[in-house]
């Protein structure tokens, strides 16, 4: 059955790897296959959570460290970021992320479950003015009334982990929210989602990340100088195709994929991703990256 197939294909892959070990071009595909496998393992975790399979470990992020609640102030800068050429990287990381960023303030932690439910309790899902046009259409179509796998029971917050509902911690990052929900919360709070460049600048300045994937306001487009890798269909077909960049990692992300330059990308309606978000302060004079206008592609 499946175990026999996996054993056989593993042995075949090892045999081929021994032949390809001295050819850098061939090694690229082995490395890509391993990295892609790690990504699919996380996707299987997402599927198991969506279908409510029994879980042996928690699929939810741990509570935030209350010592790190003060927002981080990031200075204005000309950001330049590119991958380490001596390591494997995905082609959408190739080239250089270039941005002139004005000074901004960013949450030290992802938005918590409790903070998000304050938005829900304040009628956030009923106030069309807080949502983009596409976001409101999605909310109406889905009849969404709160974050996926989360609900209120009296004064308690409950989260579904696999097949079981358990008491949630108001201090843990909110998880399983889509881009539309993240944008609506930011509009309610008078804040914004960070751009990919702002997130990168904050990560470079010591911002802690890795509990949940984090939505950004940046569409998935190539960096300056992009060149497709031999597997041309990995990134190029999705550039500008209504996909948005997520940064960071989650508990289910393989350690070898935890890199601040890594670019995850999903469509804005996806709630099954182990994703949350953090916010930045509203625009200050001369900081064009922090426009209070919602992302045009969502309108």
């Amino acid at each position: 059955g499946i175990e026999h197939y996996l054993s056989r294909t593993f042995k075949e892959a090892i045999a081929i790897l021994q032949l390809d070990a001295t050819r850098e071009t061939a090694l690229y595909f082995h490395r890509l296959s391993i990295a892609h496998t790690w990504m699919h393992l996380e996707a299987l975790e997402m599927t198991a959570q969506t279908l409510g399979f029994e879980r042996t470990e928690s699929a939810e992020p741990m509570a935030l460290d209350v010592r790190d609640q003060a927002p981080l102030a990031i200075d204005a800068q000309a950001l330049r970021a590119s991958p380490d050429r001596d390591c494997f990287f995905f082609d959408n990381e190739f080239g250089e992320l270039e941005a002139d960023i004005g000074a901004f303030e960013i949450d030290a932690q992802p938005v918590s479950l409790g903070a998000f439910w304050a938005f829900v309790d304040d009628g956030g899902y009923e106030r069309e003015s807080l949502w983009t046009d596409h976001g409101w259409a999605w909310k109406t179509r889905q009849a969404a009334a709160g974050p996926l796998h989360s609900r209120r029971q009296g004064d308690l917050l409950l989260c579904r982990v696999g097949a079981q509902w358990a008491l949630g911690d108001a201090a843990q990052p909110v998880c399983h929210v889509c881009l539309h929900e993240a944008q609506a919360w930011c509009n309610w709070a008078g804040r914004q989602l960070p751009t990919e460049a702002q997130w990168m600048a904050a990560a470079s300045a010591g911002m802690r990340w890795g509990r949940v994937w984090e939505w950004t306001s940046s569409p998935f487009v190539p960096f300056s100088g992009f060149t497709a890798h031999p597997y041309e269909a990995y990134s190029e077909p999705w550039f500008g195709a209504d996909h948005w960049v997520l940064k960071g990692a989650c508990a289910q992300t393989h350690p070898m994929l935890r890199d601040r330059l890594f670019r995850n990308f999903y469509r804005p309606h996806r709630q099954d991703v182990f994703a949350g978000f953090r916010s930045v302060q509203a625009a200050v004079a001369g900081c064009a990256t922090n426009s209070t206008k919602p992302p045009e592609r969502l309108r």
Side-chain angles (χ1 to χ4, degrees), residues 1 12 127 155 157 191 198 213 216 218-219 230 235 237 250 263 272-273 275 286:
E12 291 174 353
R127 295 161 59 181
D155 293 334
L157 290 175
R191 294 177 71 82
Q198 287 174 324
W213 288 105
T216 73
S218 296
S235 300
C250 69
R263 311 178 79 200
D272 56 331
V273 185

Side-chain angles (χ1 to χ4, degrees), residues 18-37:
Q18 291 175 337
L19 296 176
D20 290 341
T22 60
R23 297 187 296 162
E24 188 63 29
T25 302
L27 284 177
Y28 164 82
F29 289 100
H30 290 282
R31 292 165 177 155
L32 177 65
S33 296
I34 292 171
H36 215 175
T37 297

Side-chain angles (χ1 to χ4, degrees), residues 159-179:
C159 294
R160 182 169 72 78
V161 181
Q164 303 296 324
W165 285 91
L167 185 64
D169 188 331
Q172 72 188 56
V174 67
C175 193
H176 300 296
V177 290
C178 70
L179 178 62

Side-chain angles (χ1 to χ4, degrees), residues 6-272:
L6 292 174
S7 176
R8 177 174 57 82
T9 54
F10 176 75
K11 292 177 181 178
E12 291 174 353
I14 293 299
I16 295 173
L17 176 60
Q18 291 175 337
L19 296 176
D20 290 341
T22 60
R23 297 187 296 162
E24 188 63 29
T25 302
L27 284 177
Y28 164 82
F29 289 100
H30 290 282
R31 292 165 177 155
L32 177 65
S33 296
I34 292 171
H36 215 175
T37 297
W38 292 333
M39 296 168 68
H40 277 290
L41 289 174
E42 183 173 325
L44 287 173
E45 292 273 7
M46 291 160 49
T47 301
Q49 173 66 13
T50 299
L51 297 178
F53 289 174
E54 193 69 43
R55 309 297 300 281
T56 58
E57 297 182 0
S58 173
E60 299 303 313
M62 299 296 290
L64 300 172
D65 188 337
V66 296
R67 295 171 297 178
D68 291 338
Q69 293 301 313
L72 304 175
I74 307 300
D75 294 333
Q77 59 190 274
L79 179 71
R80 301 292 183 269
S82 57
D84 182 348
R85 297 299 194 277
D86 294 329
C87 299
F88 172 84
F89 56 90
F90 294 95
D91 62 3
N92 60 59
E93 301 169 11
F94 184 77
E96 188 171 55
L97 171 59
E98 302 175 284
D100 292 324
I101 307 171
F104 66 97
E105 174 190 281
I106 188 169
D107 298 332
Q109 304 274 13
V111 171
S112 69
L113 182 65
F116 193 89
W117 267 94
F119 159 75
V120 179
D121 293 339
D122 194 40
Y125 279 78
E126 306 305 321
R127 295 161 59 181
E128 185 175 356
S129 62
L130 297 175
W131 298 74
T132 63
D133 293 342
H134 288 178
W136 186 254
W138 168 86
K139 186 214 77 76
T140 303
R141 186 168 57 250
Q142 295 294 117
L148 191 66
H149 310 314
S150 174
R151 71 187 186 198
R152 184 179 285 289
Q153 184 172 299
D155 293 334
L156 302 178
L157 290 175
L158 302 180
C159 294
R160 182 169 72 78
V161 181
Q164 303 296 324
W165 285 91
L167 185 64
D169 188 331
Q172 72 188 56
V174 67
C175 193
H176 300 296
V177 290
C178 70
L179 178 62
H180 299 311
E181 293 168 297
Q183 182 66 53
W185 185 94
C186 288
N187 288 337
W188 171 79
R191 294 177 71 82
Q192 300 168 300
L193 291 175
T195 64
E196 181 176 11
Q198 287 174 324
W199 193 97
M200 285 287 293
S204 299
M207 179 182 75
R208 295 175 62 188
W209 53 270
R211 293 179 172 92
V212 289
W213 288 105
E214 301 179 26
W215 288 104
T216 73
S217 63
S218 296
F220 183 55
V221 295
F223 288 162
S224 174
F226 167 81
T227 300
H229 280 181
Y231 177 36
E232 296 179 357
Y234 180 72
S235 300
E236 211 162 17
W238 314 116
F239 287 145
D242 198 28
H243 285 68
W244 296 78
V245 175
L246 298 92
K247 301 296 289 184
C250 69
Q252 291 73 26
T253 304
H254 193 280
M256 293 300 290
L257 295 180
R258 290 173 172 265
D259 188 284
R260 57 195 170 96
L261 194 62
F262 184 89
R263 311 178 79 200
N264 208 347
F265 53 98
Y266 282 102
R267 288 193 168 99
H269 67 275
R270 292 287 293 270
Q271 292 177 290
D272 56 331

